[in-house]
Coordinates of all heavy atoms in Angstrom, one line a residue:
K30 N 52.2 316.4 27.0 CA 52.7 317.5 26.1 C 52.1 318.8 26.7 O 51.2 318.7 27.6 CB 52.2 317.3 24.7 CG 50.7 317.4 24.5 CD 50.4 317.2 23.0 CE 48.9 317.4 22.7 NZ 48.6 317.3 21.3
S31 N 52.4 319.9 26.2 CA 51.9 321.2 26.6 C 50.7 321.7 25.9 O 50.6 321.3 24.7 CB 53.0 322.3 26.5 OG 54.1 322.0 27.3
F32 N 49.8 322.4 26.6 CA 48.6 322.9 26.0 C 48.5 324.4 26.2 O 48.8 324.9 27.2 CB 47.3 322.2 26.7 CG 47.4 320.7 26.5 CD1 47.9 320.0 27.6 CD2 46.9 320.1 25.4 CE1 48.0 318.6 27.5 CE2 46.9 318.7 25.4 CZ 47.4 317.9 26.4
E33 N 47.9 325.1 25.2 CA 47.8 326.6 25.3 C 46.9 327.0 26.4 O 47.1 328.1 27.0 CB 47.4 327.1 23.9 CG 48.5 327.0 22.9 CD 48.2 327.7 21.6 OE1 47.3 328.7 21.6 OE2 48.8 327.4 20.6
T34 N 45.8 326.3 26.6 CA 44.9 326.7 27.6 C 44.6 325.6 28.6 O 44.8 324.5 28.4 CB 43.5 327.1 27.0 OG1 42.9 326.0 26.4 CG2 43.7 328.2 25.9
R35 N 44.1 326.1 29.8 CA 43.7 325.1 30.8 C 42.5 324.3 30.4 O 42.4 323.1 30.7 CB 43.4 325.8 32.1 CG 42.9 325.0 33.2 CD 44.0 324.0 33.7 NE 43.5 323.1 34.6 CZ 43.6 323.2 36.0 NH1 44.3 324.2 36.5 NH2 43.1 322.3 36.8
N36 N 41.6 324.9 29.6 CA 40.4 324.1 29.1 C 40.9 323.0 28.2 O 40.3 321.9 28.2 CB 39.4 325.1 28.4 CG 38.6 325.9 29.4 OD1 38.6 325.6 30.6 ND2 38.1 327.0 28.9
T37 N 41.9 323.2 27.3 CA 42.3 322.2 26.4 C 43.0 321.1 27.2 O 42.8 319.9 27.0 CB 43.3 322.8 25.4 OG1 42.6 323.9 24.7 CG2 43.8 321.8 24.4
L38 N 43.8 321.5 28.2 CA 44.4 320.4 29.1 C 43.3 319.6 29.7 O 43.4 318.4 29.7 CB 45.3 321.1 30.1 CG 45.9 320.1 31.1 CD1 47.3 320.4 31.5 CD2 45.1 320.0 32.4
N39 N 42.3 320.2 30.3 CA 41.3 319.5 31.0 C 40.6 318.5 30.0 O 40.3 317.4 30.4 CB 40.2 320.5 31.6 CG 40.7 321.2 32.8 OD1 41.7 320.8 33.4 ND2 40.1 322.3 33.1
K40 N 40.3 318.9 28.8 CA 39.7 318.1 27.8 C 40.6 316.8 27.6 O 40.1 315.7 27.6 CB 39.5 318.8 26.5 CG 39.0 318.1 25.3 CD 38.9 318.9 24.1 CE 39.0 318.0 22.9 NZ 39.2 318.7 21.6
Y41 N 41.8 317.0 27.3 CA 42.7 315.9 27.0 C 43.0 315.0 28.2 O 43.1 313.8 28.2 CB 44.0 316.3 26.4 CG 43.9 316.6 24.9 CD1 43.6 317.9 24.5 CD2 44.0 315.6 24.0 CE1 43.5 318.2 23.1 CE2 43.9 315.8 22.6 CZ 43.6 317.1 22.2 OH 43.4 317.4 20.8
L42 N 43.0 315.6 29.4 CA 43.2 314.8 30.6 C 42.0 314.0 30.9 O 42.1 312.8 31.2 CB 43.5 315.8 31.8 CG 43.7 315.1 33.2 CD1 44.8 314.0 33.1 CD2 44.0 316.1 34.2
D43 N 40.8 314.5 30.7 CA 39.6 313.8 30.9 C 39.5 312.6 29.9 O 39.2 311.4 30.3 CB 38.3 314.6 30.7 CG 38.1 315.6 31.9 OD1 38.7 315.4 32.9 OD2 37.3 316.5 31.7
L44 N 39.9 312.8 28.6 CA 39.9 311.8 27.7 C 40.9 310.7 28.0 O 40.7 309.5 27.9 CB 40.2 312.3 26.3 CG 39.1 313.0 25.6 CD1 39.6 313.7 24.3 CD2 37.9 312.0 25.2
F45 N 42.1 311.1 28.5 CA 43.1 310.2 28.9 C 42.7 309.3 30.1 O 42.8 308.1 30.1 CB 44.4 311.0 29.3 CG 45.5 310.1 29.7 CD1 46.1 309.1 28.9 CD2 46.1 310.3 31.0 CE1 47.1 308.3 29.3 CE2 47.1 309.5 31.4 CZ 47.6 308.5 30.6
K46 N 42.1 310.0 31.1 CA 41.6 309.2 32.3 C 40.5 308.2 31.9 O 40.5 307.1 32.4 CB 41.1 310.2 33.3 CG 42.2 311.0 34.0 CD 41.6 312.0 34.9 CE 41.0 311.4 36.1 NZ 40.6 312.4 37.2
T47 N 39.7 308.6 30.9 CA 38.6 307.7 30.4 C 39.2 306.5 29.6 O 38.7 305.4 29.8 CB 37.6 308.5 29.6 OG1 37.1 309.6 30.4 CG2 36.5 307.6 29.0
N48 N 40.2 306.7 28.8 CA 40.6 305.7 27.8 C 41.9 304.9 28.2 O 42.1 303.9 27.6 CB 40.8 306.4 26.5 CG 39.6 306.9 25.9 OD1 38.5 306.3 26.0 ND2 39.6 308.1 25.2
A49 N 42.6 305.4 29.2 CA 43.9 304.8 29.5 C 43.8 303.3 29.9 O 44.6 302.5 29.5 CB 44.7 305.6 30.5
K50 N 42.8 303.1 30.7 CA 42.7 301.7 31.3 C 42.5 300.7 30.2 O 43.0 299.5 30.3 CB 41.6 301.6 32.3 CG 41.5 300.3 33.0 CD 40.6 300.3 34.2 CE 40.8 299.0 35.0 NZ 40.2 299.1 36.3
T51 N 41.8 301.0 29.1 CA 41.5 300.0 28.1 C 42.4 300.1 26.9 O 42.2 299.3 25.9 CB 40.0 300.1 27.7 OG1 39.8 301.5 27.2 CG2 39.1 299.8 28.8
A52 N 43.3 301.1 26.9 CA 44.2 301.2 25.7 C 45.1 300.0 25.7 O 45.7 299.6 26.7 CB 45.0 302.5 25.9
H53 N 45.4 299.5 24.5 CA 46.3 298.4 24.2 C 47.7 298.8 24.4 O 48.1 300.0 24.2 CB 46.1 297.8 22.9 CG 44.7 297.2 22.7 ND1 44.4 295.9 23.2 CD2 43.6 297.6 22.1 CE1 43.2 295.7 22.9 NE2 42.6 296.7 22.2
V54 N 48.5 297.9 24.8 CA 50.0 298.2 24.9 C 50.7 297.5 23.8 O 50.5 296.2 23.6 CB 50.5 297.6 26.3 CG1 52.0 297.8 26.4 CG2 49.8 298.3 27.5
Y55 N 51.5 298.2 23.1 CA 52.3 297.7 21.9 C 53.8 297.9 22.1 O 54.1 298.9 22.6 CB 51.9 298.3 20.6 CG 50.5 297.9 20.1 CD1 49.4 298.6 20.4 CD2 50.4 296.8 19.3 CE1 48.2 298.2 19.9 CE2 49.2 296.4 18.8 CZ 48.0 297.1 19.2 OH 46.8 296.7 18.7
E56 N 54.5 297.0 21.7 CA 56.0 297.2 21.6 C 56.3 297.2 20.1 O 56.4 296.1 19.5 CB 56.7 296.1 22.4 CG 56.5 296.1 23.9 CD 57.3 295.2 24.7 OE1 58.6 295.2 24.4 OE2 56.8 294.6 25.6
G57 N 56.3 298.3 19.6 CA 56.4 298.5 18.1 C 55.3 299.4 17.6 O 54.6 300.0 18.4
E58 N 55.1 299.4 16.4 CA 54.1 300.2 15.7 C 52.7 299.6 15.7 O 52.6 298.4 15.5 CB 54.5 300.6 14.3 CG 55.8 301.3 14.2 CD 55.7 302.7 14.7 OE1 54.7 303.4 14.5 OE2 56.7 303.2 15.3
S59 N 51.7 300.4 15.8 CA 50.3 300.0 15.6 C 49.8 300.8 14.5 O 50.0 302.0 14.4 CB 49.5 300.2 16.9 OG 48.1 300.0 16.6
Q60 N 49.0 300.2 13.6 CA 48.5 300.9 12.4 C 47.2 301.7 12.6 O 47.0 302.7 12.1 CB 48.4 300.0 11.2 CG 49.7 299.4 10.8 CD 50.8 300.4 10.5 OE1 50.5 301.4 9.8 NE2 52.0 300.2 10.9
D61 N 46.3 301.1 13.4 CA 44.9 301.7 13.5 C 44.2 301.4 14.8 O 43.0 301.5 14.8 CB 44.1 301.2 12.3 CG 44.0 299.7 12.2 OD1 44.5 299.0 13.1 OD2 43.4 299.2 11.2
D62 N 44.8 300.9 15.8 CA 44.1 300.5 17.0 C 44.4 301.5 18.1 O 45.0 301.2 19.1 CB 44.6 299.1 17.4 CG 43.7 298.5 18.5 OD1 42.6 298.9 18.6 OD2 44.2 297.6 19.2
F63 N 43.9 302.8 17.9 CA 44.2 303.8 18.9 C 43.0 304.0 19.8 O 41.8 303.8 19.4 CB 44.6 305.1 18.1 CG 45.8 305.0 17.4 CD1 45.8 304.5 16.1 CD2 47.0 305.3 18.0 CE1 47.0 304.4 15.4 CE2 48.2 305.1 17.3 CZ 48.2 304.7 16.1
P64 N 43.2 304.5 21.0 CA 44.4 304.9 21.6 C 45.3 303.7 22.1 O 44.7 302.6 22.3 CB 44.0 305.7 22.9 CG 42.7 305.1 23.2 CD 42.0 304.7 21.9
I65 N 46.6 304.0 22.2 CA 47.5 302.9 22.6 C 48.6 303.5 23.5 O 48.8 304.7 23.5 CB 48.2 302.3 21.4 CG1 49.1 303.3 20.6 CG2 47.2 301.6 20.4 CD1 50.1 302.7 19.7
F66 N 49.2 302.6 24.2 CA 50.5 302.8 24.9 C 51.6 302.1 24.1 O 51.4 300.9 23.7 CB 50.5 302.2 26.3 CG 49.7 303.1 27.3 CD1 48.4 302.8 27.6 CD2 50.3 304.2 27.9 CE1 47.7 303.5 28.5 CE2 49.6 305.0 28.8 CZ 48.3 304.6 29.1
Q67 N 52.6 302.8 23.7 CA 53.7 302.2 23.0 C 54.9 302.2 23.8 O 55.3 303.2 24.4 CB 54.0 303.1 21.8 CG 55.0 302.6 20.8 CD 55.2 303.5 19.6 OE1 55.1 304.7 19.8 NE2 55.5 302.9 18.5
V68 N 55.5 301.0 24.0 CA 56.7 300.7 24.8 C 57.8 300.6 23.8 O 57.7 299.9 22.8 CB 56.6 299.5 25.7 CG1 57.8 299.2 26.4 CG2 55.4 299.6 26.6

Side-chain angles (χ1 to χ4, degrees):
K30 68 179 187 176
S31 295
F32 303 93
E33 288 189 21
T34 68
R35 177 65 189 261
N36 285 341
T37 305
L38 176 139
N39 288 342
K40 174 185 154 190
Y41 279 93
L42 178 56
D43 287 345
L44 285 170
F45 178 60
K46 289 174 71 173
T47 300
N48 296 321
K50 187 168 187 165
T51 58
H53 295 281
V54 176
Y55 286 93
E56 294 189 45
E58 297 291 323
S59 172
Q60 298 303 316
D61 58 1
D62 192 21
F63 294 91
I65 65 166
F66 284 97
Q67 182 180 36
V68 178

